[in-house]
Amino acid sequence: AQTVTQSQPEMSVQEAETVTLSCTYDTSESNYYLFWYKQPPSRQMILVIRQEAYKQQNATENRFSVNFQKAAKSFSLKISDSQLGDTAMYFCAFIGAGGTSYGKLTFGQGTILTVHP
Amino acid sequence: EPEVTQTPSHQVTQMGQEVILRCVPISNHLYFYWYRQILGQKVEFLVSFYNNEISEKSEIFDDQFSVERPDGSNFTLKIRSTKLEDSAMYFCASSEWTGELFFGEGSRLTVL
């Protein structure tokens, strides 16, 4: 079974600064996908960024980038130039790519990020 | 941009009552899911649905739960006899493949 751990229940950052959210996971699968989802107070979960485990290059999406360390099973999210609209709960999630996962995402506990003006 | 829509946004019900939560997935998606988030806890997988049948379900998804795609557009979650511990936010999601899921805004269920 997979597990995903986010060890930071809450983080805060000043507007325009950079913040890194941590995530570790455990799996015996060799191929999988990792995701960061954002859940603002409006409740809807929005995909922020995705990483395929077979790709060595870290994914980037505008101000969002990841540091994917496969051997260490670590998948951190870096938010550069933080904006007030980044305030949200952030979930790290894992899904196996073995064809039998059927969309069964395993989520971490979440990190509440607050961006201060 | 296409999105997953859910109704109702909030439902309050008495313990023992039946509840149906409705979802309209993105139209060209083939895989459908329900997830649950109890207040203050992590999001948990309930069930996945493909080709008009359940693909996988978690241990949470017991006989009190059922899913249906009655008319080719809606995807429903029914809880036959609600319990206090069913109070949670229920998220519907859909995807073209089993990787990138698109979530709805959620339906908050409060069981009294």
Side-chain angles (χ1 to χ4, degrees), chain B residues 46-58:
Chain B
L46 290 179
V47 66
S48 60
F49 191 87
Y50 171 72
N51 200 26
N52 285 320
E53 60 183 22
I54 290 174
S55 305
E56 188 170 353
K57 59 184 181 180
S58 71

Side-chain angles (χ1 to χ4, degrees), chain A residues 19-36:
Chain A
V19 64
T20 299
L21 308 183
S22 301
C23 172
T24 58
Y25 60 94
D26 191 22
T27 183
S28 58
E29 297 195 42
S30 58
N31 197 18
Y32 47 86
Y33 298 87
L34 294 161
F35 306 87
W36 279 97

Side-chain angles (χ1 to χ4, degrees), chain A residues 89, chain B residues 36-42 44 87-89 108-109:
Chain A
M89 173 81 88
Chain B
R36 179 180 83 173
Q37 184 182 28
I38 294 172
L39 186 64
Q41 298 186 22
K42 65 170 68 177
E44 302 172 292
S87 293
M89 182 74 82
R108 182 175 297 284
L109 175 65

Side-chain angles (χ1 to χ4, degrees), chain B residues 6-56:
Chain B
Q6 290 185 240
T7 54
S9 58
H10 188 193
Q11 180 156 357
V12 181
T13 190
Q14 294 291 324
M15 191 168 56
Q17 294 296 304
E18 176 182 284
V19 162
I20 297 176
L21 305 179
R22 292 180 169 79
C23 170
V24 179
I26 294 173
S27 61
N28 64 332
H29 285 183
L30 301 176
Y31 299 85
F32 315 110
Y33 316 89
W34 284 100
Y35 282 77
R36 179 180 83 173
Q37 184 182 28
I38 294 172
L39 186 64
Q41 298 186 22
K42 65 170 68 177
V43 180
E44 302 172 292
F45 170 82
L46 290 179
V47 66
S48 60
F49 191 87
Y50 171 72
N51 200 26
N52 285 320
E53 60 183 22
I54 290 174
S55 305
E56 188 170 353

Side-chain angles (χ1 to χ4, degrees), chain A residues 37 44 47 50 95 102-103 105, chain B residues 33 35 48 98 100-101 103:
Chain A
Y37 280 90
Q44 186 171 19
L47 179 66
R50 180 182 77 200
I95 192 168
Y102 300 111
L105 282 166
Chain B
Y33 316 89
Y35 282 77
S48 60
T98 56
E100 185 168 345
L101 274 62
F103 286 85

